[in-house]
Amino acid sequence: MKTIIITGGAGFIGSHVVRLFVNKYPDYDIINVDKLTYAGNLANLRDIEGKPNYRFVKADICDFDFMFDLMKTHRVDGIIHLAAESHVDRSIKDPFTFARTNVMGTLSLLQAAKTYWESLPERYEGKKFYHISTDEVYGALELTHPEGKPSEISAHEVYGDEFFHEYTKYNPHSPYSASKASSDHFVRAFHDTYGMPTIVTNCSNNYGPYQFPEKLIPLFINNIRHRKPLPVYGKGENVRDWLYVVDHARAIDVIFHNGKIADTYNIGGFNEWKNIDIIKVVINTVDRLLGRKEGEDLDLITYVTDRQGHDMRYAIDSTKLKNELGWEPSLQFEEGIEKTVRWYLDNQEWMDNITSGEYEKYYESMYADR
Ligand SMILES: NC(=O)c1ccc[n+]([C@@H]2O[C@H](COP(=O)([O-])OP(=O)(O)OC[C@H]3O[C@@H](n4cnc5c(N)ncnc54)[C@H](O)[C@@H]3O)[C@@H](O)[C@H]2O)c1
């Protein structure tokens, strides 16, 4: 592999994947293709932007001609596809944008790669299209152990008998998960129909540095700091399985290089938390690191009307990835959440730039030509 396009590399997970590949593989040319929507932020990549094996291209994955030319010009061998609209609440308000980017964008990218790779004498040899997806495509699991665990940081609790496996039937409920499910099907169809070497992975909730502060953990860290309300859906009973973002990037590296073509891998940390419990952990950690009395800000919690169609429980079984490719999460949750809270508190300028919209102005002046 010599030249790899990573789409969505200015986003949360994408920026960690770009950083890992640029630093670990100096012989690869890494092209970060990102449209820089509200969620894309080049400040996520300041530490690697000057590296000789890295380039940024502002483009829309839906632009077939541009993406085809880019692949041809740079003789692209691999694509790691993360670009997407990713926020469930936004998908409920505006499902069309999700269908456009996640479904049509993925299809357009597949078609561009197919057209380019099939024009080569070696066709698909040495090529790979790796699509990053979510556990949300599997739908929702039941909560069968509702007592759960108290809110202190401790070993993970298991809140039900079932897990999502690679063979679990798709059953998406939100416009976001429906659009991701559709894109997964297109990727697999390109393998089955045209023989394109594809891989799909489905990962649980990620947390860590550089996540856009509309998502629970960074939003709440910032709100606690500024003593703003913490809006919790329903009773906060919904369970999510949390993975430190750098561990997801490590998994993507392992799977991109050693995963079986046409296969699917689930990625997760066996780390289930009820929303309300994780929120309490975040409050206690922020309070402690800011020198406040631990738990002082618990009264910021404000229960709000539940999200429409809110899935109760997600829990990934990533045993296959461990058994076949030897991947396991490197960080315990206690360590990961401490690092995460510390990062957001230490990088207040990054947060303020986003919440004040400063970074959008910066892009407008820099990339006004496209
Ligand atoms: N965040 C999670 O917990 C999680 C979990 C599992 C899977 N995923 C998947 O991982 C991928 C990345 O998620 P994330 O949380 O980093 O998302 P994100 O919203 O932080 O980043 C998405 C990036 O894609 C870019 N983008 C959006 N539309 C584009 C387009 N049309 N053309 C080019 N670029 C475009 C945005 O500018 C942004 O930089 C997504 O495919 C998501 O479905 C996310």
Side-chain angles (χ1 to χ4, degrees):
M1 284 291 180
K2 282 279 183 281
T3 305
I4 300 167
I5 285 180
I6 298 178
T7 71
F12 167 47
I13 303 171
S15 62
H16 288 276
V17 177
V18 166
R19 175 175 296 102
L20 188 152
F21 273 69
V22 166
N23 286 333
K24 187 167 172 188
Y25 302 108
D27 293 345
Y28 291 3
D29 283 328
I30 302 298
I31 307 176
N32 171 12
V33 173
D34 199 295
K35 186 181 170 185
L36 299 181
T37 66
Y38 78 94
N41 186 355
L42 289 179
N44 297 357
L45 291 163
R46 283 281 138 72
D47 52 323
I48 56 128
E49 65 189 2
K51 298 251 176 165
N53 62 337
Y54 170 71
R55 90 179 62 211
F56 171 70
V57 176
K58 182 175 189 281
D60 187 338
I61 53 160
C62 300
D63 186 341
F64 174 90
D65 293 337
F66 184 87
M67 292 308 299
F68 172 77
D69 284 346
L70 188 72
M71 290 177 199
K72 196 171 164 193
T73 307
H74 295 282
R75 299 182 184 171
V76 167
D77 315 283
I79 295 166
I80 304 179
H81 176 37
L82 296 107
E85 290 292 336
S86 69
H87 192 41
V88 175
D89 288 343
R90 286 180 188 257
S91 83
I92 293 168
K93 292 201 183 87
D94 175 19
F96 281 103
T97 303
F98 283 68
R100 180 188 179 273
T101 296
N102 299 359
V103 185
M104 294 305 290
T106 300
L107 176 56
S108 184
L109 200 62
L110 283 162
Q111 185 69 10
K114 170 182 178 289
T115 312
Y116 168 54
W117 287 338
E118 287 191 354
S119 75
L120 301 172
E122 76 273 21
R123 289 172 62 89
Y124 290 121
E125 208 185 304
K127 309 294 185 281
K128 211 170 277 178
F129 190 109
Y130 177 1
H131 176 64
I132 312 299
S133 192
T134 165
D135 60 354
E136 301 191 28
V137 298
Y138 296 124
L141 297 167
E142 293 294 315
L143 199 100
T144 51
H145 301 149
E147 296 81 32
K149 248 204 153 53
S151 62
E152 78 274 7
I153 299 180
S154 56
H156 83 275
E157 181 59 272
V158 174
Y159 289 103
D161 306 321
E162 289 184 89
F163 288 85
F164 295 137
H165 303 275
E166 285 81 0
Y167 51 80
T168 301
K169 210 170 143 208
Y170 276 27
N171 186 19
H173 295 131
S174 73
Y176 165 65
S177 54
S179 69
K180 291 296 290 186
S182 172
S183 65
D184 295 7
H185 290 319
F186 270 111
V187 174
R188 295 191 179 104
F190 267 62
H191 171 268
D192 297 348
T193 309
Y194 309 112
M196 182 182 283
T198 60
I199 296 184
V200 176
T201 54
N202 299 85
C203 187
S204 61
N205 275 31
N206 285 213
Y207 71 97
Y210 299 113
Q211 186 168 31
F212 194 81
E214 64 185 353
K215 304 275 171 70
L216 190 144
I217 290 182
L219 174 74
F220 279 24
I221 293 171
N222 199 40
N223 283 10
I224 298 162
R225 177 176 202 140
H226 296 292
R227 296 221 153 96
K228 289 195 204 155
L230 308 174
V232 179
Y233 280 130
K235 294 182 186 146
E237 290 284 294
N238 304 63
V239 172
R240 298 294 180 260
D241 179 0
W242 292 90
L243 181 68
Y244 191 62
V245 63
V246 175
D247 278 326
H248 188 188
R250 285 177 49 248
I252 290 172
D253 176 21
V254 170
I255 294 163
F256 181 72
H257 288 97
N258 303 321
K260 249 192 351 241
I261 294 301
D263 219 338
T264 295
Y265 298 90
N266 278 352
I267 310 172
F270 285 109
N271 180 41
E272 292 181 47
W273 287 85
K274 282 187 184 178
N275 284 347
I276 191 63
D277 289 338
I278 209 165
I279 288 162
K280 288 176 182 170
V281 169
V282 171
I283 292 172
N284 287 337
T285 312
V286 175
D287 281 349
R288 178 166 45 78
L289 292 178
L290 286 179
R292 298 177 186 168
K293 199 165 141 263
E294 233 174 82
E296 188 179 322
D297 289 311
L298 283 168
D299 59 3
L300 294 174
I301 292 175
T302 314
Y303 293 97
V304 298
T305 312
D306 208 353
R307 173 191 275 165
Q308 289 165 286
H310 205 174
D311 288 338
M312 185 44 88
R313 173 174 172 253
Y314 302 142
I316 276 274
D317 182 348
S318 54
T319 311
K320 172 175 165 179
L321 180 56
K322 182 180 173 192
N323 290 348
E324 292 188 11
L325 301 180
W327 175 91
E328 278 185 281
S330 68
L331 273 194
Q332 292 298 313
F333 184 71
E334 294 83 336
E335 204 185 328
I337 200 73
E338 175 95 12
K339 266 174 101 119
T340 302
V341 171
R342 217 177 260 286
W343 188 88
Y344 286 100
L345 295 180
D346 288 348
N347 288 274
Q348 192 58 39
E349 200 184 327
W350 179 91
M351 180 69 85
D352 290 345
N353 281 342
I354 291 176
T355 46
S356 71
E358 274 308 310
Y359 80 109
E360 278 174 2
K361 284 183 219 149
Y362 167 74
Y363 294 143
E364 274 164 26
S365 60
M366 267 187 85
Y367 297 101
D369 57 330
R370 276 194 58 80

